[in-house]
Amino acid sequence: MAAPIPASPLFLREPEIRRGIELLYFGYSHLTRSIDDGLARQGLGRAHHRALYFIARKPDLTVSELLSLLAITKQSLGRVLGELAERALVETRAGTRDRRQRLLRLTDAGVRLESELFEALREKMAGAYSSAGQGAVGGFWAVLEGLMPEDERGRVATLGR
């Protein structure tokens, strides 16, 4: 891997900002392509993966919490969850305090699929992290957090807890 081009001291100029946008776009595009074949074999797409990922991160996530995390329409989420349930990858149950709540959890098959997909993503991210170094990873996280509205950062911090 070639040495990364260091950021210019003038990092707020248009060329540097455009480079960051391009790197973010192409990096994310290549990262997600690493799981496309696994999803295609299941007849699933990236929306299904995002749902699987967040349900794995927070078992018993409510449908409304997932809707908020994914920022998609109820109709789109309904289609995705319906297809995941039909394939026995996700199960829903009523909430313990509020029976109207629908709590989402991966089935054993869902756990296996999500783990397989995560492993492909982990491999790519670990390689990129390793070549960039610890300081760069912290800076990368800070930039990504800076792209999110401050009031949404807490949601990310609580995933997996």
Side-chain angles (χ1 to χ4, degrees), residues 93-95 97-103:
R93 61 184 179 81
R97 289 182 310 223
D98 183 348
R99 306 290 297 160
R100 294 170 298 175
Q101 258 186 344
R102 290 182 27 215
L103 305 179

Side-chain angles (χ1 to χ4, degrees), residues 100-136:
R100 294 170 298 175
Q101 258 186 344
R102 290 182 27 215
L103 305 179
L104 302 167
R105 189 172 274 269
L106 298 183
T107 63
D108 289 342
V111 168
R112 283 191 301 276
L113 176 60
E114 195 281 330
S115 294
E116 173 189 316
L117 297 169
F118 174 75
E119 187 55 34
L121 295 173
R122 187 196 68 72
E123 193 175 303
K124 284 264 196 216
M125 288 297 288
Y129 278 5
S130 180
S131 68
Q134 182 181 1

